Amino acid sequence: MTNNITSNRKTVFESLGYKKTINNLIKQTQELYLSDEIPWVLGYSGGKDSTAILQLVWRAIEELPKDKHIKPIHVISTDTLVENPIVSLWVERSLNQMKEASDQKKLPIQPHRLTPAVRDRFWVNLIGKGYPAPRPKFRWCTSRLKISPSNDFITNMVKANGEAILILGTRKAESASRAANMKKYEQGSTRDLLSRNKELDRVWVYTPVSDWQDDDVWQYLMQDKNPWGFANEELLNMYQGATSDGECPLVVDTSTPSCGDSRFGCYVCTMVSEDKSMTAMIQNDAEKEWMLPLLELRTKWLDITDRNTEIKNKKIDNERTHRDFRRMNGSLTLHNDRLVHGPYKQEYRTQLLEALLRAEIAARELGPQEVKQLELITLEELEEIRRIWVMEKHEIEDILPTIYEKVHNKPYPGKRIEEAQVFKNEDMSLLKKICKEKAADSEGLHYELIRDLLHIEHQNRTMVRRSKLFDSLDKTLERNAFKTEAEALEFAQTRKKTRDSIDDQEEASILFNDTMNL
């Protein structure tokens, strides 16, 4: 299928020609590299832009004499651990090959694969803590998964060296807002070729392809052989496979449509209505159908968006039923006379975990040899989720090992948790049954209260001072003060009316006093 699009896009190579433009850029990069001893950190995602800047930097350093390799160039790539697995595998192979080539050629280029801290990982927060799927007003994922790992690395560089230079593949042609921001920080800079970093202190930013168009990037990648031995043609094929029509032509002139619109992201992303790149990959290549379980996992369990407002609202309302009517800290919040729901309930979190484990098995069974050991969730994350459930949420049923064994049909490989052995599962089932029959505990809130109190007492059994115990008991009793959500809603509405009435009275009193003083 061919796109017949006419464009008047200007190319950065138009003025001086391709070869001279590239040579000038390499020379500029060399001069900047030799101008000081500040270490470089290059952001690499495996996409076209970051590949292009890494190639330019690699060429620049490789052409310098060995005695001019005065400082390291750290190539950092952040793996959120929920990336599109095709892209994740691609980047991992590229980093490995990059290290081999750099070591062989004795270059100061050092690749690093960064991952979020366990506490910040997607499944730990979603399934462990119960954070609802990310949305525009609660986008908790980006900073934890993407920004923090790279910022921590760069911050450590600054601490050790005083400053750092960050090399990015950002381009003004990406969007009008991006162009405006780049221009703003370029103007505020005190160094040639470098701009200020708006987030990190003492970090400079170098954007060697800032004025390039998508077409320029692809032309460079296709004409300049990848210096660490990775085939750029495969990168082009990956972009091609991620477009709905399977068309991603080699750019030969300004009338040829670019392949730059493909966007690879996390397969769990709920900030978009559809994962177009993964869907296109599956549609365009039967060998990638093994990713269907991942696509279905997002669609069935996480998706809360839709271009149709009515459908979107239905999805949000349905998700709301799986969330606790209390906020994470146990408080009640009203919005439009309804309770703002908080984290996912225990039952839904356990269902999510089982669905995730089953998707992992299905992908392994359907996929090629390279994904037979695919991990959608690591044991380290499972252990942290289990700790949160038992130690923080007082879910002493300790159901995670049971779910794992049910899905995998083998013993759970994690450690034994002593806290989970307070009562046997039979005891907890009996307690739940009694609460339901004797206390009309239809929503399980009375059971939660007793279970939490029992565990808190057990946690503090060896404490000499009991003040911490009493504080914990008070918070638990306050959190579980309602038998049903309806009762909690009525309380919150009454409280709001009372507060509004008091505010009105105070306002009237102030107005009266002001009038009397006239």
Side-chain angles (χ1 to χ4, degrees):
M1 183 176 180
T2 304
N3 291 318
N4 295 316
I5 300 176
T6 302
S7 173
N8 293 318
R9 291 190 295 264
K10 290 184 178 180
T11 172
V12 74
F13 307 125
E14 187 175 16
S15 177
L16 299 176
Y18 174 81
K19 188 173 182 179
K20 191 169 184 180
T21 301
I22 296 299
N23 287 339
N24 285 352
L25 194 50
I26 288 175
K27 184 180 179 182
Q28 171 188 289
T29 303
Q30 290 173 333
E31 291 173 351
L32 182 62
Y33 176 81
L34 296 171
S35 65
D36 54 49
E37 296 183 355
I38 302 173
W40 283 12
V41 180
L42 188 148
Y44 176 71
S45 67
K48 66 183 192 307
D49 296 330
S50 62
T51 300
I53 61 167
L54 179 53
Q55 281 195 191
L56 285 166
V57 170
W58 190 295
R59 294 293 184 207
I61 304 307
E62 193 173 24
E63 291 177 11
L64 288 173
K66 288 289 188 291
D67 62 346
K68 297 293 185 181
H69 295 170
I70 60 173
K71 59 188 179 185
I73 299 171
H74 300 279
V75 179
I76 61 172
S77 180
T78 302
D79 185 349
T80 64
L81 302 179
V82 283
E83 300 287 340
N84 179 314
I86 295 290
V87 179
S88 182
L89 289 168
W90 162 272
V91 173
E92 186 176 359
R93 288 197 303 268
S94 180
L95 290 173
N96 291 337
Q97 197 156 327
M98 198 184 300
K99 186 179 188 312
E100 289 181 14
S102 179
D103 290 346
Q104 185 179 8
K105 297 178 180 180
K106 293 182 171 54
L107 298 175
I109 298 173
Q110 304 171 15
H112 305 268
R113 176 178 173 267
L114 309 180
T115 57
V118 176
R119 66 179 181 276
D120 289 336
R121 294 180 187 176
F122 185 82
W123 298 119
V124 168
N125 284 280
L126 187 99
I127 297 177
K129 295 180 180 179
Y131 281 6
R135 58 209 68 206
K137 292 185 178 180
F138 188 42
R139 192 172 182 172
W140 54 264
C141 54
T142 306
S143 59
R144 287 176 170 85
L145 303 183
K146 275 285 187 187
I147 299 174
S148 291
S150 56
N151 279 5
D152 289 346
F153 185 95
I154 297 167
T155 300
N156 288 333
M157 282 289 111
V158 172
K159 287 180 180 178
N161 300 277
E163 292 179 283
I165 293 176
L166 180 60
I167 310 170
L168 298 175
T170 49
R171 296 179 295 108
K172 295 170 184 174
E174 291 179 87
S175 68
S177 59
R178 173 64 59 84
N181 279 331
M182 291 180 72
K183 187 175 181 180
K184 173 184 174 183
Y185 289 103
E186 285 171 1
Q187 291 174 340
S189 177
T190 56
R191 289 195 59 178
D192 291 339
L193 303 177
L194 302 178
S195 58
R196 294 181 295 111
N197 185 286
K198 64 178 180 179
E199 302 291 343
L200 300 172
D201 188 32
R202 291 177 291 163
V203 175
W204 302 92
V205 180
Y206 176 43
T207 52
V209 297
S210 60
D211 295 320
W212 288 24
Q213 303 290 326
D214 283 344
D215 302 344
D216 301 328
V217 176
W218 283 118
Q219 183 177 346
Y220 174 62
L221 292 177
M222 292 301 103
Q223 291 189 219
D224 189 81
K225 186 178 179 181
N226 187 297
W228 60 93
F230 225 50
N232 287 340
E233 290 77 13
E234 291 184 20
L235 178 62
L236 179 67
N237 290 337
M238 188 163 65
Y239 271 84
Q240 179 183 23
T243 55
S244 58
D245 57 6
E247 180 67 21
C248 193
L250 176 61
V251 177
V252 292
D253 55 44
T254 56
S255 65
T256 308
S258 174
C259 189
D261 293 333
S262 301
R263 287 291 180 267
F264 304 110
C266 302
Y267 67 87
V268 293
C269 184
T270 50
M271 300 301 295
V272 293
S273 59
E274 179 187 5
D275 188 339
K276 293 182 179 179
S277 63
M278 181 177 282
T279 301
M281 282 183 171
I282 295 170
Q283 290 176 346
N284 294 334
D285 188 350
E287 293 184 359
K288 293 185 174 65
E289 288 183 357
W290 61 269
M291 291 195 295
L292 268 173
L294 279 64
L295 203 59
E296 292 168 353
L297 176 72
R298 175 196 175 277
T299 302
K300 181 177 180 180
W301 295 96
L302 304 176
D303 185 25
I304 52 168
T305 58
D306 199 280
R307 293 178 180 177
N308 184 299
T309 304
E310 185 178 349
I311 295 175
K312 178 181 177 180
N313 289 337
K314 284 182 179 179
K315 288 181 178 180
I316 292 174
D317 286 341
N318 177 64
E319 187 222 27
R320 191 173 182 272
T321 64
H322 299 301
R323 293 168 59 184
D324 199 318
F325 63 84
R326 299 159 293 194
R327 306 299 291 270
M328 190 73 77
N329 61 4
S331 63
L332 301 177
T333 304
L334 275 180
H335 179 68
N336 292 334
D337 220 29
R338 291 207 310 175
L339 287 172
V340 176
H341 282 203
Y344 288 134
K345 298 175 183 176
Q346 180 183 9
E347 182 182 10
Y348 194 66
R349 286 184 277 111
T350 58
Q351 291 173 352
L352 274 169
L353 177 59
E354 182 174 342
L356 174 61
L357 293 174
R358 293 196 183 282
E360 180 181 82
I361 291 175
R364 288 177 179 178
E365 291 176 348
L366 293 170
Q369 190 61 39
E370 63 182 355
V371 299
K372 292 301 182 185
Q373 300 301 317
L374 176 70
E375 282 189 323
L376 298 185
I377 184 169
T378 64
L379 177 60
E380 193 177 27
E381 292 168 72
L382 288 171
E383 286 286 82
E384 178 62 8
I385 290 170
R386 186 186 183 196
R387 186 197 66 78
I388 292 170
W389 284 4
V390 175
M391 303 301 293
E392 295 183 11
K393 293 184 177 291
H394 309 298
E395 294 168 359
I396 52 178
E397 302 93 339
D398 192 22
I399 197 172
L400 189 145
T402 304
I403 297 170
Y404 182 93
E405 291 166 6
K406 174 185 174 183
V407 174
H408 283 282
N409 197 28
K410 64 180 181 181
Y412 176 68
K415 299 176 182 178
R416 174 187 172 90
I417 296 183
E418 293 297 332
E419 294 289 336
Q421 311 304 318
V422 182
F423 296 100
K424 296 179 181 178
N425 287 338
E426 294 82 2
D427 298 328
M428 302 310 297
S429 297
L430 179 60
L431 175 60
K432 184 179 289 187
K433 181 180 179 182
I434 292 173
C435 288
K436 191 171 184 179
E437 293 177 354
K438 304 297 183 181
D441 189 25
S442 59
E443 297 182 24
L445 299 177
H446 198 66
Y447 164 74
E448 283 184 24
L449 170 61
I450 297 175
R451 179 196 64 188
D452 293 3
L453 292 174
L454 287 170
H455 186 231
I456 290 169
E457 171 62 31
H458 181 76
Q459 284 180 313
N460 291 271
R461 66 191 183 281
T462 60
M463 300 294 291
V464 176
R465 299 185 64 182
R466 309 288 278 178
S467 58
K468 184 178 179 181
L469 168 63
F470 296 140
D471 289 343
S472 297
L473 292 176
D474 284 343
K475 289 178 182 177
T476 300
L477 288 168
E478 185 176 345
R479 175 185 176 84
N480 294 278
F482 309 101
K483 292 182 179 179
T484 63
E485 180 177 347
E487 186 177 294
L489 175 61
E490 183 180 358
F491 169 82
Q493 290 172 334
T494 302
R495 181 181 62 183
K496 183 178 184 302
K497 289 178 182 177
T498 302
R499 287 175 175 174
D500 290 346
S501 176
I502 292 172
D503 290 342
D504 290 343
Q505 291 175 18
E506 289 179 349
E507 186 176 342
S509 176
I510 292 171
L511 181 62
F512 175 77
N513 290 333
D514 288 345
T515 303
M516 294 298 292
N517 291 329
L518 290 177

